Amino acid sequence: MKKVRDKMTDIELLEILKIGETVDVECKEGENKIPNSLWESYSAMANTNGGIIILGIKENKSKGTFEVQGVKNIDKRIQDFWNTINGSKANRNLLRDEDVQKLNIEGMDVLIINVPRANYKERPIYLNENPYKGTYKRNAEGDYKSTEDEVNAMIRDASEEGNDGVILEDYTIKDLDEDAIKKYRNRFSSREPDHPWNALDNEAFIEMLGGMKEDRRRKIKGVTVAGMLMFGKGLYIRDLFAKINFDFREEIDVTSNQRWSDRFTIDGTWENNLYNFYFTVINKLTSNVKVPFKLENLERKDDTLVHQAIREAFVNQIIHADFNIQGTLKIIKTKDSLEFTNPGSLKVDLESIFKGGNSKSRNPRIQKMFSLIGLGEGAGSGFPKILAAWNEQSWRTPELKEETNLSQVSLKLWMISMLPEECLESLKNIFGKEFNSFNKDKVLILAAAYLEGSVNNARIQLMMDKHSYDITGILHDLVEKGTLLVDGYGRGKVYYLNNEYNSNADYNRIPIKDKLQNNDEINILEYIKVNGSISNKECRENFEFGKTKTLGLFKHLEELGKIKRIGKGSYIKYVLID
């Protein structure tokens, strides 16, 4: 569930209106009735990361601003809301009394609804008694109707049994890779030399692991999804799981003609099961990791917390992957980061994952297979173990990201300092004396924008213990000061460092009416005259500007009243003002 906040104040609401909609805040009118779109937002927020719906707010689309309109007869509207949500409109009511709040602002009433994230056993939250037509999710562009595959994925995830226990009829022990089983058994017996399973034949041993199962009621026995994915022959895995690919890429010292320095993927040269993929790639991941060895009892210890954390991240990627949907089990290694991507969504919210103790594996049988040979933590302690290793090195906070529109989850492990001296020196050079006025939160955000190229609200939430719209307020303040430049609108906002802050300092103090256009701005205006509009991407491609410069030029032209933005998110374009 989304963490509980105190009731919103009028000051906080005014701040939200100044900033506009974000990923987890939705403003709606509803002056005389509860709008139908409210229910779509309820479903979408519940099925994604929760959020806040504010009723009684009108958007001025031409100006991109929000203003209080108010809700008339608000007590009646609140009663209508409860009657509807407790009726048949939605399949489940997630709200408590304290989640619905009325607030008087500027002499008008507004209604605030705090929607929690539904847990995996409650999803999908759908409307009008039809999950396939009434389930919504939320991304940077707003609420969208879930596809059949997305609904089926939520239904599968609701089962405590996981996804990997299904019996694959007609597949037997002969369809598994005997060499992979042999290697696994050697590891198992070395770890547990006196275990009674060591005396079993391969079929009985795999059955004990959960890789084979008998259904006496249906009178069938066969390899399970877990058994096939972990030990299967590549031909059958490619046939049964045609939507899934395995891919490792090392991108170190690459050139424009060579996109990777090493690659291991499904190419017909190896039996592409999870066992072989893991044990081939793990050595590539941990080689050349720049972590000092430690001494224990005067003996060198090369297996550090970082090495253990990398193994944990790899196992987590596998056991939480949804192998029933289109996607790639992908790992990218660069000079200063490791990135793990798997198809699927997060079964629990980010806050619970970072705290640990709430592990809900999508593939519990595969998880058991790894744990029996000493790989993967149980009971949700895996992610805190990764965080502890990274904190020990004072490296940047790992970035765990759920990409709803792509149905994938990615974990990026940065192997660079949280605030390297080079970064701080660069920020001081850019912002001069102004840098000394920034508090630690602002320094952290500016450093993240500098090191990562850009930041958004979701990324900052992982780096500091603050609520989404508190962070949005800090970002807004940095934009107002000119230290950050913003691209996108509302929910799709991305923030970039203003690298030209110092060079523009005197220029920014000149009244807008006295500022002269430079050739770059004239070229942009001429392009719009000819083509009707221009996007950020078109501007960069046609004039070879960087992101920072492009955003600065657009912002200045908007201030001059020469152009205005239309559309939202990735569809934003700029047109001339008549």
Side-chain angles (χ1 to χ4, degrees):
M1 299 281 281
K2 196 175 183 66
K3 62 183 178 182
V4 177
R5 272 189 52 87
D6 295 332
K7 287 185 177 294
M8 186 182 294
T9 66
D10 54 351
I11 295 175
E12 289 174 323
L13 178 56
L14 286 171
E15 188 66 21
I16 288 175
L17 298 185
K18 183 169 67 173
I19 294 165
E21 291 178 337
T22 64
V23 173
D24 64 355
V25 176
E26 179 79 26
C27 298
K28 298 181 182 294
E29 294 187 27
E31 183 178 19
N32 297 302
K33 65 177 182 178
I34 301 292
N36 287 330
S37 62
L38 177 146
W39 301 109
E40 294 175 5
S41 294
Y42 168 73
S43 168
M45 288 177 170
N47 289 323
T48 314
N49 284 313
I52 298 169
I53 302 171
I54 305 175
L55 213 60
I57 305 299
K58 185 175 182 179
E59 179 182 7
N60 186 326
K61 294 185 178 180
S62 63
K63 295 182 180 179
T65 59
F66 294 84
E67 56 192 44
V68 179
Q69 181 189 53
V71 175
K72 294 180 180 178
N73 198 1
I74 192 167
D75 291 332
K76 175 67 165 56
R77 297 290 84 79
I78 292 174
Q79 189 60 50
D80 291 344
F81 173 82
W82 284 119
N83 289 341
T84 305
I85 199 170
N86 288 323
S88 59
K89 184 65 178 179
N91 67 311
R92 192 185 299 272
N93 175 14
L94 300 173
L95 306 182
R96 300 161 300 178
D97 289 344
E98 55 266 34
D99 291 322
V100 178
Q101 172 193 358
K102 63 179 178 180
L103 183 67
N104 188 274
I105 184 167
E106 299 178 354
M108 291 173 281
D109 290 325
V110 296
L111 181 60
I112 300 167
I113 301 167
N114 186 19
V115 182
R117 172 184 171 123
N119 68 47
Y120 68 96
K121 290 184 284 189
E122 295 169 328
R123 294 194 294 263
I125 301 298
Y126 55 89
L127 309 177
N128 303 320
E129 303 180 324
N130 190 328
Y132 292 101
K133 292 184 178 180
T135 298
Y136 292 80
K137 293 194 78 175
R138 194 166 178 84
N139 59 22
E141 305 303 323
D143 305 328
Y144 71 93
K145 189 172 289 187
S146 299
T147 65
E148 183 176 338
D149 285 344
E150 287 177 313
V151 175
N152 286 335
M154 285 186 262
I155 293 172
R156 286 195 303 270
D157 285 347
S159 170
E160 293 284 12
E161 290 296 311
N163 295 0
D164 61 352
V166 176
I167 297 174
L168 301 172
E169 297 185 46
D170 302 323
Y171 287 90
T172 69
I173 191 70
K174 294 180 181 179
D175 300 313
L176 303 183
D177 176 15
E178 189 172 345
D179 185 54
I181 295 174
K182 180 179 178 181
K183 290 176 180 177
Y184 181 94
R185 296 197 67 164
N186 286 339
R187 289 181 182 275
F188 178 86
S189 60
S190 295
R191 182 177 171 83
E192 301 284 351
D194 299 322
H195 202 288
W197 292 358
N198 290 325
L200 301 176
D201 62 23
N202 278 352
E203 182 169 337
F205 180 80
I206 294 298
E207 186 173 1
M208 289 297 183
L209 294 181
M212 295 192 69
K213 189 165 70 173
E214 180 180 9
D215 186 331
R216 294 184 179 181
R217 183 178 61 82
R218 296 166 57 200
K219 296 181 180 179
I220 60 170
K221 181 178 180 179
V223 175
T224 62
V225 166
M228 182 60 72
L229 285 168
M230 190 70 166
F231 301 112
K233 293 180 179 177
L235 174 64
Y236 303 126
I237 291 177
R238 295 193 297 275
D239 183 42
L240 291 164
F241 305 95
K243 296 179 180 180
I244 291 295
N245 188 27
F246 303 154
D247 191 14
F248 164 78
R249 296 202 304 268
E250 183 179 87
E251 298 178 357
I252 300 176
D253 297 325
V254 296
T255 65
S256 57
N257 297 323
Q258 184 180 3
R259 293 186 298 166
W260 55 79
S261 48
D262 185 21
R263 190 175 191 187
F264 185 68
T265 189
I266 297 177
D267 58 6
T269 62
W270 58 288
E271 295 290 7
N272 50 266
N273 53 55
L274 290 175
Y275 182 89
N276 289 333
F277 183 65
Y278 177 87
F279 282 101
T280 300
V281 172
I282 193 61
N283 294 325
K284 298 175 183 289
L285 285 179
T286 54
S287 65
N288 303 320
V289 173
K290 296 178 182 179
V291 181
F293 67 86
K294 291 186 176 183
L295 291 177
E296 285 190 7
N297 299 322
L298 300 180
E299 292 186 2
R300 174 171 171 154
K301 181 177 176 62
D302 292 301
D303 188 32
T304 66
L305 284 178
V306 169
H307 290 84
Q308 295 168 28
I310 292 172
R311 294 197 294 269
E312 188 69 37
F314 197 172
V315 172
N316 277 351
Q317 176 194 32
I318 291 171
I319 65 176
H320 293 298
D322 189 342
F323 294 103
N324 293 287
I325 64 175
Q326 188 81 39
T328 299
L329 203 67
K330 181 172 64 178
I331 304 172
I332 297 177
K333 179 180 181 179
T334 69
K335 181 177 66 174
D336 53 19
S337 70
L338 300 173
E339 185 169 11
F340 301 83
T341 302
N342 61 266
S345 60
L346 295 175
K347 289 189 73 171
V348 297
D349 60 90
L350 285 172
E351 185 182 9
S352 298
I353 293 171
F354 270 66
K355 287 181 178 178
N358 196 20
S359 178
K360 300 297 178 184
S361 169
R362 192 169 270 116
N363 301 293
R365 291 159 189 82
I366 295 176
Q367 181 179 23
K368 178 182 177 182
M369 293 171 185
F370 277 112
S371 68
L372 286 171
I373 53 174
L375 297 169
E377 296 282 342
S381 58
F383 203 81
K385 185 174 185 177
I386 296 171
L387 294 176
W390 254 242
N391 287 336
E392 183 185 62
Q393 300 300 318
S394 296
W395 284 343
R396 306 204 55 234
T397 305
E399 181 179 3
L400 182 61
K401 183 167 57 177
E402 183 178 29
E403 299 176 271
T404 307
N405 56 325
L406 299 176
S407 295
Q408 68 180 28
V409 175
S410 64
L411 171 64
K412 194 159 190 175
L413 301 180
W414 298 90
M415 293 183 287
I416 53 177
S417 172
M418 173 71 77
L419 290 172
E421 283 300 318
E422 176 267 334
C423 170
L424 291 175
E425 286 302 315
S426 295
L427 292 177
K428 290 175 183 177
N429 289 334
I430 292 170
F431 301 116
K433 294 180 180 179
E434 184 73 16
F435 182 80
N436 295 325
S437 69
F438 299 145
N439 62 28
K440 64 178 182 179
D441 290 338
K442 291 181 178 179
V443 170
L444 187 60
I445 290 174
L446 293 171
Y450 174 85
L451 292 167
E452 298 180 19
S454 66
V455 291
N456 58 21
N457 195 302
R459 172 57 176 153
I460 301 302
Q461 284 184 62
L462 299 182
M463 300 171 66
M464 57 179 65
D465 186 23
K466 291 184 182 296
H467 193 274
S468 170
Y469 60 74
D470 295 328
I471 292 169
T472 302
I474 301 173
L475 290 168
H476 181 72
D477 187 45
L478 289 171
V479 171
E480 288 286 296
K481 291 180 182 298
T483 54
L484 287 181
L485 297 173
V486 62
D487 187 22
Y489 175 77
R491 309 179 190 93
K493 284 182 179 177
V494 179
Y495 300 84
Y496 301 92
L497 197 70
N498 183 3
N499 292 302
E500 300 178 8
Y501 180 86
N502 272 352
S503 63
N504 286 334
D506 294 333
Y507 181 72
N508 286 336
R509 285 195 285 269
I510 302 173
I512 287 177
K513 63 182 178 64
D514 295 331
K515 294 180 182 178
L516 298 176
Q517 299 168 354
N518 58 35
N519 287 332
D520 293 332
E521 292 171 346
I522 292 172
N523 289 335
I524 290 174
L525 295 175
E526 289 298 324
Y527 182 96
I528 299 175
K529 287 179 182 177
V530 173
N531 298 279
S533 66
I534 190 170
S535 67
N536 191 301
K537 182 179 179 182
E538 289 168 340
C539 189
R540 297 199 308 269
E541 291 178 348
N542 282 278
F543 303 115
E544 297 183 352
F545 297 155
K547 285 183 178 179
T548 300
K549 182 174 182 178
T550 300
L551 291 169
L553 290 169
F554 283 156
K555 181 181 179 182
H556 181 219
L557 287 170
E558 284 185 285
E559 290 174 345
L560 291 172
K562 298 294 184 181
I563 63 174
K564 65 179 180 180
R565 67 177 72 189
I566 58 174
K568 292 186 178 183
S570 58
Y571 299 101
I572 286 178
K573 288 183 177 291
Y574 296 85
V575 298
L576 296 177
I577 295 177
D578 297 332

